Structure formats: structure tokens, C-alpha cells
Amino acid sequence: MRSRSNSGVRLDYYQRIVHRLILAHQEPVTGLFPASNVNSHAWIRDNVYCILAVWGLSMAYKKIADQDEDRAKCYELEQSCVKLMRGLLMAMMNQKDKVEKFKMTQSPFDSLHAKYSSKNGLPVVADNEWGHLQIDAVSLYLLILAQMTASGLQIVFSLDEVSFIQNLVFYIESAYSIPDYGIWERGDKTNHGEPELNASSIGMAKAALEAMNELDLFGARGGPASVIHVLADEAHKCQAVLQSMLPRESNSKELDSGLLCVIGFPAFAVDDAQLIHNTKDAILSRLQGKYGCKRFLRDGYRTPKEDPTRLYYERWELRMFENIECEWPLFYCYLILFHAFQNDKRAVQDYADRLEKIMVRSEDGILLVPESYAVPQELVGNEYQKPGSQPREVVGRCPFLWGQSLFILGRLLQEGFLAVGELDPLNRRLGAQKKPDVVVQVVIIAEDNEIRDKLAEHDLHVQTIAEVAPIEVQPARVLSHLYTYLGRNRKLGLTGRKSRDVGILSTSKLYSLKDRIFAFTPQHIDYEEYYTTRDPDLLASNFTTNLAFLTNNWRHMLGRPTITLMATHYMLDQDKIPLAMIQTMRKLKSGYINGTRVMLGNLKDFLNTSAITDLSFLGSTEDGYPDRLHPDVQTYLDEHLLRSFSNRSTMNLRGGQLRPRHLRRRMSCKGAIKKTRSINVDSDNLGMEGPTPLTERRLSSIVPPPWLQANKQGHVSVFATTPEEGPTSPPQLGGELGLRENIYPVDPLHSRSAMDRRSEFVRQQEITVPKILIQRHRAETNFADTEVEELIAMLRETENLDDQGDILQYLVDTQGLDFNTGMLEEGRVVTVRDLLKGLYEKACQQKLWGLVRHTAGMLGKRVEDLGKAVTDLLVRQKQVTVGMPPNNEHTITAPLPEVELRQLIHDAYGDDESTAMLTQELMVYLAMFIRTEPQLFHEMLRLRVGLIIQVMAKELSRTLNCGGEAASEHLLNLSPFEMKNLLYHILSGKEFAVSSVARGNLSIVSCKSSRVSKKSQIGLGDPEGEDALIATIDDRQGQWLRRRRLDGALNRVPRDFYSRVWTVLERCQGLAIEGRVLQQSLTQEMTPGELKFALEVETALNQIPQPEYRQLVVEALMVLTLVTEHNMVPSLGDIIYVEHLVHKANQLFLEDQRKVQGDATLCCAKLKDGKEQQQAASGMLLCGGAAYICQHLYDSAPSGSYGTMTYMSRAVALVLDCVPKHGEMECAIS
């Protein structure tokens, strides 16, 4: 017998170890590994990790197989892998009903089990007795299945198994929005069984989706039927959410060593080298110890302080686990692999040495990886005092097979038996390398010859649908329907893909089906959907956003992306092609648009360079005819090809001259729409005020003033009465004005004339909003019928769409949407709803956006992607609130179904259809921005849409110099594009001006220099009534006030604000903000960087209705953090009332103002005698500053000797007893 080479001898040594430590435990029947000698449960995750060493060793043997017995050993090891992977597959296939159910419910109780019996592969605990929902385990299985198949192993045997695995892909594809129990099976770290979104699960799912895409499960021997299909957009969503979360693991775990398997082997899920580096550094700096890494901060598992008799922890006891968490050598194994893949030999050696020191030698000299190291009971006190100083002892299993397996892989790499590429045959490790730029191919297709000729006039030459044949162009919904056939299997009872969503990455490929080729137009321009598609500017802007998105996210695909656009009649504006479209198409011709490389051309020219996917799964394989189309698909396609792009007719109302006898009736409907509005810019019940000298204020803790209660609903001001109540009658009005004067003593100089003007203004309002009696019981009176007939006659005769809107609004209020109007069209009865639809169509054509939004709301039209938009915001850890603060705000913290969302928004705004529609629209824009420019949302935890709407109206009223009523009208009439633009300016804090365009539409322009006059170019008639009171303000004045107001409304806070508040809370009994007390016990439960803690602080701050006041409170908290960070005092004492600090600072500010005769002497610092006290008690400040704080303090810069921070620091020194009053003190304020 020949002597073996050295490498052969060394490999035989590893083979003995693998056999003794790993394969000896493999169950002969199922192929699964039990958890230990005493526990026969087999966990999916641990089993997959255990087998990796066996797979690695088999590949090492394959390379040196110079003798027959080596080939035999190699085959034996490979078959062990196949046996295990198939054992897990059988266990999961037994639960196929769960996979089917989970696609619909996504409920933790319908999930696949996390562990099975190793004896027979059956479930071992009930659905509700364990945190089974662990998406990372199923994802890891799919990922390793893909890698093993790519390395040449045959694991999947039949097409039924292929369709089961295709359904497992659907099972994990929404991982980015499904809270699960995660890699440690814990969910929230208090272990109360609450699942949460975990970055490690999302990363593993993203890796599995990418690895599975277009993979043939039969390896080289397969055909089209055995290929797995993944929609690229799903993997991308997982990637986007993962990037927004890292280095955080979840809401309750700010860091987790489990992320090592996401940034390195086996997942390689992060494409951004910097982010990989930051995450690894964060883990090493905060979790690494002598004996490995801690799993996460305050992990009580197996610590001496843990109470082993119960599964959960009390919230207060988490603090006890700090610094004594167990350390796991397993993570050193991950780090060795991580650095081996990075080819960093020094780091590999370093961790190998550390690992060797903490491994345990068995009797026969084999090195074993123990599960974890804990501090012994008697040394706990010393460890608390000096973390990391005490020796630890082994607890848990030894050897820990998960760790042992990774250790052996590391050794095989270190000794050169394996190359990194062999452990990663799909080349996932190259994901973070720089890629060449993507060129996006754009095809424009005209609906018919007429449109083609119109485009040709602008020197744009395109083909029509007829000319592109044989390539067929379809809307995205056709593709989404075809994808529902993917993964269907009658025998297994699996119904295919459930989600109807196809994103831009999927529609940018071409698809082949037998000998036909399809191109699909993007989903967001399927034209039947929603009024925002009627705005050419918005379509053009969304289109450029999509191009940029494709450039950045087109990865792992062969070929270039191709966007196909249809130019249809529907897009014409008064029979002309809109300017925005022409401009965009010209830019496309130039080859560059906003920094993106594009090519404009015809479809047939792009066939060779495009990405093409084969829709082979549409064959009827189950009936034995894989080459024929599934009969259902055949009929669907035949029907659809005829009518994909066809026009609809709209209803026409006959025009005519208005006859005088209808004038009376018409007056009673006038303003019916306006009365439903609830955006409140005027100062009545919100703390968001403009610089009016005469505005009523109240602290949110005081009972609302009486005139608000008179009006039973919380968000309706006197000026906007709902039809049900009708405005208050004049005698009461006088009383009300009297009341106002009593509550608010006004400075005698202004008082009289202003009050007169005010009441005059209210009276004018009364005239235009007539009292309408609603006929509830139709039978009692015939008057209602005649009235309705007259109204309908008027409706036919008026040309003015606003009047038609008012009449229809009145009809809906009195008669309901399904009321039969008595008109006939083509023999059908016409209901009020049909008339509204006609009006909606016309308003869309004439671009009367206010009316469009209102009628869309009345018709219950919905934003197509509302649910998706809200999910996009939530999964990036932003909560959303709708409704107007402080009374009607509803917070959305978890993804909701479309229907519930719309109901919630509707409840929040009552009758105000326009604002409800606007809210939905803004949520979609916010989601667009968070996808493309996540940096706009840094340091914001909650997006309060109601406040954002108010700030938008506020800013319009400031730039247009008009009253609140006018500003909210202007806001609701902005076109969707301008609305998105205004929102962008407000989010980014950029200055903007408003310029007028024809037909009263406004357009928002960025101001490059701050010297541009902020006053708009629009004259809005003579400033009368209240508007006259608004003083015109100089540019620089009001800048800090505006900035504070914006930051307050957007809930922006300074960097690391929440973790710094945590340090303040640690040193005092609690912080009181607007009546909410943050208890010190929160620090016992939560770590400083935890998202749950940030949300607690945020909730307290959201009690403050006035944004600018909220910002000052944030500044006061920042000063407190400086006190703690400079260690001025050991403890801050009792509960600190943060508002006291702000009010004290205001007092000091006013004293200084008197000394230097500053601006504030005109208002708050003015009165020297006893009147001052009376003034403060009344809540009425002359300058109109919110919450008793002088407007001029809001408008001071933070730094400088008269800056807000200076006053805050002085206030802290005066209010807190613990800060020494005398003596020298270093005072550095950044």
C-alpha cells in the first residue's frame, strides 16, 4: 500500500474528529442531530451549522482523492450532508399546511416549528408552547441548500419537493416586515414571548432569497421546471431594511453578536463595506470579552443571577445582568471565518490563539468548544466592580456542536485544505465589492399613431404598440397575476404566491414565455389607480427617482434593466403632451439624467442586452404537459391581450346658462365643501401659531377654552362648522366674544379695534356659511324632494366645477352616495356616486387639485400603495401618527391591512375628506423619500403627519403672507408634484419661495441664497380682516423660531439625544415633561441605545402640542446631559420638572432684556408694575409666544451670551439644589 502524503494523514485526523464529535450523534433514521445525549430535540439552525464541517471536509477530500478509499470517504461525508438536509426537508414538508397558512396570516402560531424530534422528525412542542417563528432558521436552511446544490450535491429529488421549496421562498420573502423570535428564540429580551423585527433574521432571509434566485435544484441535470424564482424586489426590501437597522439588532437589543453571521460567513448579506466594518467594530467594542463575546447586553441566560424556575424576566431585574452576561466562544469561531474570508491572516491567527486558550481538552486530547462561560456565583461582586477581571467557568454543553463545526471549518481554511471560494460556490462574499455603473435602457411606446405623431413634432421618434410586435407590452398587474401560478401544487395543497406586488426591479426585465417575449410597464403607472398619476410633473419626477433606484440596486442580475413606458391619451393635457414629459424625454435622449446613465431606444434593439427571465413555471407540468401553457393562463392571456390598454368613457353633465330662480337654492350649498376642512392654521386651538399680535394661547394642560367645548368636536374651530351642527347663532356669538375678552385681557392700545375687526371677521364667516337643516326623515316632507330636483337641474346648468362640487357635497350629506338622481344615461339609472365620478374625472382633466382630493375622498378612492408605504416607514423604525394633535392623534406602530388603515385615517379626521386624502398622499411621499433619501429622516422616530400638514400650511401662510383659511385652501390646491416638493423642502429644512403659475396653481422653488425675499410674488387681494394684523417680517427675524418650529413638528432631536437622556435619568428620580413622568426604573429595564427607551422619551415629548416649545424642552434636556457628562454632581436629586427650567430661563431672559432694552421690552419685558402677574396668569402674551414663553426667546440662537443655552444653564444652576451656588465653576457649553 502506498504511503499517504502528509496532507492525507492530516485530513484523516480531521475525519476521525468529525466522526467522533459530530457524525457519531447523527440519528440513523432521520439523519438529524439531537441537541445533546439527554435531549432528543433537533433544532433546524443547530443542525444546519453542525453539518457544515462535514460538507467542508468532503470538499477537502474531493481535492486530494488520489486513492479509492479517499473517494469513498468523500462520498460517505457528502451523503451524510444529503441525509441531514433531506431529514430537515421531510420534517418541514410534514408541516406543509402551516406554510400555506402562514403566507396569509403571518401569525407566529402558523409558523413552521423551530425544532423537531430527531427520532422521527415529528413536532415535539405545541404551536403556542415555543417561540417557533424564527425566519433566520428557515432562511439559513435555504441558503445552505443553495450553496450545497451549487457545490454539486443532489439534495432535492422530485418536482413536488421543488414546489415546496418555492413555497418556503414565499414563506421568508416578507421577512423585512415580520417580527419573529430571532436567532436566540427570545423575541424581546425580557423574554415575555413578544416577537420583534430582528436584523439577523432579515439579513439571513435576504441572503437566502438572493442565493435561491434562478437556482436549478437538480443541479446540472435539471430543466426549466426545477428552477426556483425569486422576485428581486423582495430581496431588495430585506436589504433596505437591514441597512437601516444595522448595527442595531432589534427594538430591545441595541447590538447582538448574532449579526456576525449576517455580515460575514455564511450570509454575506451586507453590500456596504463601511457598514460591515461599523457593525463588527460595535460588536467587538461592547460585547467582546476574554472568553468569547456576549450574545447581547443584559442577557440573563445562564448567569448566576438568573432565576432558573421561570422563563421570563421581571423588567427591573435586567439591570442585574449588566457586566455578568455569559461569554460564548462560538463568536470567536465566527470571527476566524470572517477574517479568513477577508484574507486577514494576522487577525485569523490572533483569534485562533485566543480560542485555543479557552477550549477544553477531552481525555483523548481533542480540543472542544464549550457552549459558554459564566462568572461563578461567589465572584459576581468582584466582577460588577471591575468588569472582565474574574475567571469564569464553563456552563452548558461541551462540545457545543454549532461552535465545534465552525471551528473545524476555520482549521481547514487555516491549513489550506479548503479555499474560501469552495465554502461559497455562489460567490456571495464578493457582494461588497465595487461594481461598474449600471446603464438603464428606456423604451417609450406610443398608444397609437396619433400620439406617435405628436411626439414626432418634438423630434422624439417612438414606436407604437402595433410596431413593437412580436414583443408584447402589458401592464404590471398582468405580471403579478402570472406570478400567482408560481409554486402551485395540487398534491401538496400549495396555492402559489400570495402577494400581488411586483416592484420596479421585476418590471425592468423582459420575460420569455415559450416563443413570445413580454415587456411590462411599471406598477406605479397602471393608470386606473389613483389621481396622483394624473399629474405629469409627479410622473416625471417619480420616473427619475426610479432610474436612480435602478442604478443603485440592480445587482446579481445578468443584463441591463429596461424600463418600458406607455405614452397614452390619458396623459395628454388639453390634447397636448405635457411639458414635463417632453423635458424628461429630451434629457433621456442626451444619455444622462440626474447623474444616471440611460439609453433611449426601441425594444428590439435592447433584446440582446436586457435581463430576460423565463416564465417556464406556467407550463401544466402537473398534468404531464410541461410544454403546454396552463389552460387558465392561456385564457387569461387571450382575454388580456385584447384589452390591456383601452380608454374609458366619462360622464358628461350638460352645460347651460344659470336661471335666476336657482340662485337662492345655490347659495344654500355654497361652501359645503369648505365646511368640512379641519386644517387649523389660525391660532384657535393649536399651539402652532404665526406671528399674529392677537392670538389666544393655552398651555395644553389647561382645560380647553369654553368656545371650543361649545362645538362638540375636538378639532373643529368656530370657523369650520360641520353640516350636522350648523354654526352657532348670532346671540351666542356676542356672548362668546365677551368671554374672549374676559379670559384674555388685552393690551388696551390694540384691544378695541382689533376686537371689532375680529368680530367683524367672524360675522362675515357666518354669512358665507349658511345654516343647513338636514332632512333625516324623507317621508315627513315633500320639500326635500323638490329641493333635490332643483339642485339637480342647477347641477346640469352650472359650468363651474366648484359649484358642482358644493351641490354634490350637499346631496351626499343629505341623501347619501347611492341616491337615485332621476337622470338616465344610456338607459341606466344615474346615482349621486356616478355624478361624483364624472366630476372627479373633469376635475382631474382641469387640474383642480383641491376638488380632486375632495371628490376622491368622498368616493372612497384609496392610494394604491398605502399599506406598502406605511410598512416601508415602520420597518425602518419610524412610527407614524395621523390626525391633528393634541386630541385626535392615532399612532400606527405595526403594519395594518389597507382597510383598517383607511378607517383609522378616516376616524382621525372625521368629515374632512380632503385632509384624509392628503394624509394618505403624504404617507406615500414620505415612503418614497425614506426609500431614496433615508438621511432626511435621521434622528426622527415618529412622523406625525397631522403636524406636518399644519406646518406645511403654516409655511405657506408665512411665504404667501396670507391668513390660515387661505393658506389651507392653497395647500389643498397644490398639485401632487408641488405637494411632494413642499414636503421635501420642509423635511430637508431648505428655504423656499412660492411663485405663481397660470390658473392660480402655485409652484415651490428652492431659494439658493437666503437673500431672496421670502415674500411671495402672489398678491392675494387686499389684506383685510385678520390678515392685516400680520406684520411683514424682516428676513433674518423669525429664522430660529421657524427652525425650532420645523424641528419640533418633525420630532427631530440632536445626535445621541436619547442615550444622553438615559444618563440624566440614571442620576435623578425621574423627569417630568407635560405631566408625563419618566421614571428612573426605565434605566433598570432598558439600555441607553435601546429603541424602546427612545420611544418612551419620545412619547413624553409628544404630549407637548406646540412644536417650538417642545424644541426648547429638548434643549433644556441637553443642558442637563452636559451637567451629568461633566460629572459636576454625583446625583441630580428628586424628580426634575423640565418645564420649570424652560420658564426659569424665560424669566432670566426677560430680566436681561430689560437691562439692555432689547426687542422683548415691546411685549413681555415691558410691564414693570403689578400688571405683569395678571398678564402671565391670563395666558395671553402680547408677542404671541407659545406656552407663556416670549416669542423673542424662541427666536434667539442657541449659542452666544444671549443664546438660549446660556439661559438654560443659568436656570439649571438656579433650579436644581444639587448644583453648588457659589464658588468658581468651569462652564463649557458646546
Side-chain angles (χ1 to χ4, degrees):
M1 178 177 154
R2 282 184 303 146
S3 68
R4 300 205 23 93
S5 61
N6 288 343
S7 57
V9 176
R10 189 74 182 137
L11 267 188
D12 288 347
Y13 163 70
Y14 280 121
Q15 196 253 336
R16 284 196 299 282
I17 290 183
V18 165
H19 193 273
R20 186 172 308 166
L21 294 184
I22 298 178
L23 291 177
H25 298 293
Q26 190 170 21
E27 281 287 344
V29 180
T30 58
L32 304 178
F33 293 105
S36 66
N37 302 334
V38 289
N39 180 351
S40 66
H41 298 179
W43 271 262
I44 298 181
R45 183 184 306 101
D46 297 51
N47 271 260
V48 174
Y49 276 121
C50 284
I51 206 70
L52 287 180
V54 182
W55 176 51
L57 191 61
S58 76
M59 291 190 289
Y61 265 115
K62 197 186 270 180
K63 279 207 294 201
I64 66 145
D66 51 352
Q67 296 173 3
D68 288 347
E69 63 259 38
D70 290 344
R71 292 202 194 95
K73 279 176 188 155
C74 167
Y75 184 71
E76 187 190 331
L77 292 166
E78 286 182 346
Q79 290 314 101
S80 295
C81 298
V82 173
K83 175 91 179 167
L84 173 104
M85 295 302 276
R86 289 194 59 75
L88 287 173
L89 181 61
M90 295 308 108
M92 290 192 274
M93 280 182 81
N94 283 334
Q95 295 196 312
K96 55 185 180 297
D97 310 342
K98 284 185 167 302
V99 175
E100 180 58 33
K101 222 163 143 190
F102 186 80
K103 283 190 297 193
M104 300 299 291
T105 62
Q106 296 184 347
S107 144
F109 300 136
D110 294 331
S111 69
L112 284 171
H113 282 198
K115 56 179 187 174
Y116 300 97
S117 158
S118 58
K119 302 270 189 289
N120 53 20
L122 296 176
V124 283
V125 287
D127 295 348
N128 54 1
E129 286 172 10
W130 196 259
H132 281 299
L133 177 51
Q134 296 167 29
I135 292 177
D136 74 303
V138 180
S139 305
L140 175 73
Y141 175 80
L142 290 174
L143 169 66
I144 300 302
L145 173 70
Q147 294 277 28
M148 285 181 170
T149 305
S151 77
L153 296 187
Q154 172 90 45
I155 294 168
V156 176
F157 292 174
S158 71
L159 286 177
D160 293 324
E161 288 171 10
V162 172
S163 38
F164 179 74
I165 285 175
Q166 178 68 65
N167 277 275
L168 284 185
V169 168
F170 300 147
Y171 180 90
I172 63 167
E173 74 177 358
S174 318
Y176 65 92
S177 64
I178 302 176
D180 70 341
Y181 293 101
I183 187 168
W184 311 123
E185 309 192 288
R186 296 233 143 171
D188 186 300
K189 72 172 172 217
T190 50
N191 220 11
H192 283 262
E194 298 160 21
E196 46 180 15
L197 266 188
N198 289 295
S200 51
S201 295
I202 297 171
M204 201 51 92
K206 180 229 176 197
L209 290 170
E210 288 179 348
M212 274 286 162
N213 192 19
E214 304 296 317
L215 178 81
D216 191 329
L217 286 175
F218 291 173
R221 306 194 192 91
S226 53
V227 175
I228 295 292
H229 298 269
V230 179
L231 273 85
D233 298 274
E234 303 300 327
H236 171 260
K237 282 181 202 160
C238 289
Q239 145 135 358
V241 175
L242 177 67
Q243 288 200 323
S244 75
M245 286 179 83
L246 288 178
R248 181 191 301 287
E249 159 74 352
S250 69
N251 281 3
S252 72
K253 304 184 196 67
E254 55 175 294
L255 252 188
D256 192 313
S257 299
L259 289 170
L260 287 171
C261 65
V262 169
I263 59 174
F265 179 84
F268 302 108
V270 186
D271 295 348
D272 173 353
Q274 190 55 49
L275 193 57
I276 294 177
H277 183 75
N278 295 350
T279 307
K280 181 185 67 95
D281 283 358
I283 291 171
L284 295 187
S285 63
R286 302 191 55 190
L287 298 172
Q288 183 178 334
K290 259 190 258 177
Y291 297 89
C293 298
K294 300 163 175 169
R295 297 191 306 179
F296 49 89
L297 297 171
R298 299 191 179 179
D299 167 22
Y301 184 58
R302 293 223 173 100
T303 55
K305 290 272 186 194
E306 183 183 46
D307 177 353
T309 58
R310 55 189 160 92
L311 271 176
Y312 63 93
Y313 303 132
E314 297 296 350
R315 300 193 182 278
W316 51 266
E317 68 178 342
L318 287 173
R319 185 68 182 262
M320 300 192 311
F321 305 135
E322 197 158 311
N323 298 328
I324 59 161
E325 303 98 334
C326 290
E327 292 178 359
W328 296 58
L330 160 73
F331 298 114
Y332 279 165
C333 304
Y334 273 119
L335 285 162
I336 288 173
L337 290 169
F338 178 87
H339 289 294
F341 274 93
Q342 300 264 353
N343 200 12
D344 178 350
K345 295 203 168 59
R346 274 216 347 253
V348 170
Q349 197 48 54
D350 174 37
Y351 282 111
D353 297 344
R354 289 187 190 197
L355 185 57
E356 204 146 318
K357 288 190 193 119
I358 54 175
M359 288 173 78
V360 179
R361 274 196 191 277
S362 65
E363 293 91 70
D364 40 13
I366 299 179
L367 284 173
L368 306 178
V369 178
E371 185 169 5
S372 58
Y373 278 92
V375 182
Q377 181 73 50
E378 63 277 6
L379 300 178
V380 167
N382 303 355
E383 181 76 14
Y384 276 144
Q385 247 123 44
K386 196 165 173 229
S389 58
Q390 304 304 309
R392 295 178 172 232
E393 59 192 14
V394 172
V395 291
R397 293 165 282 185
C398 184
F400 180 45
L401 292 188
W402 173 354
Q404 194 72 35
S405 170
L406 294 180
F407 168 67
I408 292 168
L409 275 187
R411 270 302 173 74
L412 291 171
L413 285 172
Q414 277 164 282
E415 297 186 21
F417 290 119
L418 278 180
V420 286
E422 291 170 283
L423 279 181
D424 177 28
L426 292 170
N427 292 330
R428 297 201 43 74
R429 64 191 183 287
L430 307 177
Q433 295 180 356
K434 269 306 273 157
K435 315 259 183 326
D437 278 350
V438 176
V439 179
V440 183
Q441 304 175 153
V442 183
V443 178
I444 295 171
I445 294 176
E447 185 175 33
D448 54 24
N449 296 346
E450 187 190 339
I451 291 203
R452 183 191 61 189
D453 302 340
K454 282 198 160 88
L455 282 168
E457 289 168 19
H458 296 278
D459 197 28
L460 296 162
H461 302 285
V462 301
Q463 292 184 311
T464 61
I465 297 186
E467 292 168 339
V468 235
I471 303 173
E472 302 168 41
V473 182
Q474 294 290 340
R477 54 178 184 274
V478 175
L479 179 63
S480 101
H481 182 81
L482 294 179
Y483 263 114
T484 57
Y485 289 91
L486 179 59
R488 288 194 186 184
N489 186 304
R490 282 199 298 273
K491 274 194 270 183
L492 291 170
L494 298 169
T495 58
R497 187 168 188 261
K498 279 288 170 281
S499 160
R500 305 301 310 234
D501 191 32
V502 280
I504 183 83
L505 292 172
S506 304
T507 51
S508 301
K509 299 181 191 171
L510 300 181
Y511 290 84
S512 61
L513 178 57
K514 305 290 166 270
D515 44 5
R516 306 155 74 170
I517 292 184
F518 288 95
F520 294 99
T521 56
Q523 184 172 11
H524 69 96
I525 56 172
D526 272 12
Y527 73 84
E528 280 160 29
E529 299 194 345
Y530 187 53
Y531 65 79
T532 50
T533 54
R534 297 304 192 84
D535 182 4
D537 293 297
L538 186 71
L539 283 180
S541 127
N542 287 354
F543 173 67
T544 45
T545 312
N546 278 329
L547 288 177
F549 174 85
L550 280 172
T551 323
N552 298 330
N553 299 299
W554 189 259
R555 296 197 178 90
H556 315 293
M557 314 220 209
L558 299 166
R560 292 174 175 174
T562 307
I563 294 191
T564 311
L565 294 174
M566 290 290 292
T568 57
H569 281 277
Y570 166 85
M571 290 175 179
L572 296 182
D573 185 3
Q574 296 166 336
D575 226 31
K576 287 205 248 340
I577 292 175
L579 186 63
M581 306 242 166
I582 300 290
Q583 287 170 336
T584 309
M585 291 179 193
R586 290 212 171 117
K587 279 188 199 154
L588 287 173
K589 268 178 82 172
S590 74
Y592 270 93
I593 181 164
N594 294 8
T596 305
R597 283 189 61 195
V598 288
M599 276 181 75
L600 189 61
N602 290 337
L603 265 177
K604 58 175 189 303
D605 311 337
F606 291 148
L607 280 180
N608 300 333
T609 51
S610 298
I612 300 191
T613 299
D614 189 15
L615 294 173
S616 52
F617 58 85
L618 294 172
S620 33
T621 317
E622 286 196 87
D623 303 327
Y625 297 109
D627 303 334
R628 283 193 209 164
L629 271 190
H630 194 295
D632 303 353
V633 179
Q634 189 62 60
T635 45
Y636 177 78
L637 283 178
D638 294 345
E639 276 178 25
H640 235 84
L641 296 190
L642 303 175
R643 53 178 191 76
S644 303
F645 290 106
S646 60
N647 277 321
R648 296 175 317 229
S649 67
T650 58
M651 172 159 285
N652 245 330
L653 294 169
R654 197 179 68 252
Q657 287 312 303
L658 205 66
R659 290 198 292 287
R661 79 184 168 85
H662 291 310
L663 278 173
R664 176 180 54 82
R665 178 64 38 247
R666 192 172 139 199
M667 285 309 293
S668 73
C669 304
K670 195 158 179 56
I673 289 186
K674 208 171 212 161
K675 278 182 302 183
T676 59
R677 300 272 199 265
S678 71
I679 302 181
N680 195 354
V681 188
D682 292 332
S683 45
D684 281 70
N685 67 348
L686 243 174
M688 311 199 44
E689 268 58 27
T692 357
L694 234 202
T695 41
E696 300 83 69
R697 312 257 162 197
R698 59 193 183 83
L699 246 184
S700 56
S701 49
I702 298 173
V703 196
W707 71 84
L708 267 182
Q709 293 170 329
N711 222 340
K712 295 178 273 304
Q713 288 176 326
H715 62 266
V716 179
S717 72
V718 189
F719 303 151
T721 354
T722 50
E724 266 80 352
E725 287 149 34
T728 24
S729 49
Q732 270 176 297
L733 246 182
E736 243 171 71
L737 286 167
L739 259 178
R740 281 187 196 186
E741 279 169 69
N742 303 342
I743 306 180
Y744 296 119
V746 199
D747 168 28
L749 293 173
H750 287 97
S751 117
R752 205 48 272 152
S753 58
M755 271 304 167
D756 288 343
R757 268 181 254 170
R758 185 87 186 201
S759 54
E760 189 51 51
F761 176 60
V762 175
R763 236 169 274 133
Q764 286 169 1
Q765 286 298 98
E766 288 314 309
I767 301 161
T768 50
V769 183
K771 190 165 184 179
I772 296 177
L773 286 168
I774 294 170
Q775 309 297 339
R776 282 282 174 240
H777 308 290
R778 305 260 327 280
E780 290 176 7
T781 163
N782 294 324
F783 171 63
D785 299 340
T786 55
E787 178 182 18
V788 169
E789 281 160 27
E790 279 184 52
L791 280 176
I792 286 168
M794 265 166 56
L795 189 61
R796 287 161 170 256
E797 281 150 13
T798 168
E799 280 291 297
N800 181 333
L801 291 191
D802 285 324
D803 293 346
Q804 291 187 15
D806 283 341
I807 296 173
L808 286 174
Q809 168 73 41
Y810 175 64
L811 281 175
V812 172
D813 286 342
T814 51
Q815 315 293 340
L817 274 175
D818 296 315
F819 172 71
N820 176 357
T821 56
M823 302 207 268
L824 288 179
E825 166 139 334
E826 297 169 10
R828 278 184 313 114
V829 170
V830 177
T831 60
V832 175
R833 178 179 274 120
D834 298 328
L835 293 176
L836 261 179
K837 280 184 184 152
L839 177 64
Y840 169 76
E841 284 296 328
K842 275 196 186 154
C844 281
Q845 282 159 13
Q846 296 187 23
K847 309 273 184 277
L848 299 170
W849 296 109
L851 194 56
V852 169
R853 287 191 176 96
H854 191 82
T855 45
M858 284 167 63
L859 288 166
K861 284 193 176 294
R862 68 171 193 275
V863 184
E864 268 308 305
D865 299 337
L866 183 62
K868 221 167 62 189
V870 173
T871 306
D872 275 335
L873 294 165
L874 290 171
V875 294
R876 289 173 175 78
Q877 300 88 56
K878 308 285 175 220
Q879 296 189 346
V880 186
T881 71
V882 295
M884 297 294 179
N887 321 11
N888 269 359
E889 220 173 0
H890 300 281
T891 307
I892 305 170
T893 53
L896 291 173
E898 202 90 35
V899 186
E900 285 180 40
L901 262 176
R902 285 179 51 213
Q903 192 51 48
L904 183 81
I905 292 175
H906 195 82
D907 295 347
Y909 295 105
D911 290 334
D912 187 356
E913 301 288 358
S914 319
T915 314
M917 249 5 238
L918 181 56
T919 298
Q920 300 189 26
E921 199 181 313
L922 289 178
M923 282 166 139
V924 172
Y925 300 152
L926 285 168
M928 279 181 196
F929 290 141
I930 205 167
R931 285 195 291 264
T932 52
E933 302 193 44
Q935 69 282 1
L936 287 178
F937 295 85
H938 281 327
E939 312 299 337
M940 289 159 63
L941 281 182
R942 275 205 183 110
L943 303 170
R944 304 168 72 185
V945 184
L947 261 188
I948 290 176
I949 292 178
Q950 256 155 358
V951 169
M952 287 167 92
K954 254 292 144 32
E955 287 286 278
L956 278 183
S957 111
R958 185 181 66 87
T959 37
L960 296 176
N961 223 345
C962 64
E965 183 90 346
S968 53
E969 273 305 305
H970 283 302
L971 179 67
L972 288 167
N973 276 305
L974 284 181
S975 75
F977 173 70
E978 296 301 346
M979 188 70 78
K980 178 179 165 190
N981 211 348
L982 176 61
L983 177 65
Y984 180 79
H985 279 92
I986 280 180
L987 280 177
S988 57
K990 289 188 180 142
E991 290 287 341
F992 65 91
V994 180
S995 67
S996 168
V997 187
R999 288 194 302 193
N1001 288 351
L1002 310 181
S1003 89
I1004 311 289
V1005 216
S1006 291
C1007 296
K1008 288 290 178 285
S1009 102
S1010 58
R1011 299 307 307 151
V1012 176
S1013 152
K1014 301 286 183 307
K1015 298 179 200 55
S1016 112
Q1017 297 90 26
I1018 304 182
L1020 290 168
D1022 299 328
E1024 274 187 295
E1026 221 177 7
D1027 301 356
L1029 301 176
I1030 300 180
T1032 46
I1033 312 175
D1034 168 46
D1035 276 3
R1036 276 154 313 184
Q1037 209 176 336
Q1039 257 179 358
W1040 280 104
L1041 169 65
R1042 170 171 179 263
R1043 174 129 180 228
R1044 285 195 171 97
R1045 186 174 284 156
L1046 283 184
D1047 283 348
L1050 295 171
N1051 289 8
R1052 251 203 204 106
V1053 294
R1055 286 196 54 180
D1056 304 328
F1057 172 72
Y1058 298 108
S1059 52
R1060 293 165 83 173
V1061 170
W1062 190 91
T1063 55
V1064 174
L1065 200 49
E1066 214 180 10
R1067 302 236 185 142
C1068 64
Q1069 293 302 303
L1071 291 169
I1073 301 171
E1074 274 289 316
R1076 276 290 278 264
V1077 180
L1078 294 170
Q1079 298 289 352
Q1080 188 185 12
S1081 60
L1082 288 177
T1083 59
Q1084 304 283 326
E1085 177 191 342
M1086 304 172 189
T1087 53
E1090 203 171 299
L1091 202 63
K1092 276 188 358 191
F1093 177 72
L1095 286 169
E1096 290 282 341
V1097 180
E1098 170 82 3
T1099 309
L1101 286 171
N1102 280 356
Q1103 302 295 312
I1104 305 176
Q1106 305 95 333
E1108 55 268 56
Y1109 183 42
R1110 173 200 157 107
Q1111 268 328 81
L1112 281 187
V1113 170
V1114 168
E1115 287 176 36
L1117 284 167
M1118 284 307 282
V1119 172
L1120 284 174
T1121 62
L1122 293 172
V1123 173
T1124 53
E1125 281 162 24
H1126 294 288
N1127 276 330
M1128 295 186 182
V1129 284
S1131 149
L1132 296 174
D1134 239 6
I1135 290 185
I1136 299 175
Y1137 292 90
V1138 187
E1139 286 109 308
H1140 288 190
L1141 298 175
V1142 181
H1143 286 287
K1144 187 72 188 167
N1146 186 42
Q1147 233 172 311
L1148 296 166
F1149 169 74
L1150 295 180
E1151 282 165 22
D1152 276 9
Q1153 285 283 313
R1154 285 190 199 114
K1155 283 180 204 151
V1156 298
Q1157 284 297 306
D1159 290 346
T1161 47
L1162 297 176
C1163 53
C1164 304
K1166 170 178 187 176
L1167 305 153
K1168 287 258 171 47
D1169 41 13
K1171 289 185 198 153
E1172 187 186 352
Q1173 273 61 38
Q1174 168 206 6
Q1175 170 97 4
S1178 68
M1180 175 67 209
L1181 298 189
L1182 281 178
C1183 59
Y1188 305 114
I1189 305 286
C1190 177
Q1191 188 90 353
H1192 293 288
L1193 180 62
Y1194 285 127
D1195 206 15
S1196 313
S1199 53
S1201 53
Y1202 292 109
T1204 50
M1205 290 306 243
T1206 315
Y1207 291 113
M1208 293 285 180
S1209 320
R1210 285 168 56 191
V1212 169
L1214 290 169
V1215 176
L1216 298 187
D1217 314 328
C1218 53
V1219 181
K1221 298 277 181 280
H1222 303 292
E1224 285 300 305
M1225 217 173 170
E1226 175 89 9
C1227 189
I1229 283 182
S1230 52

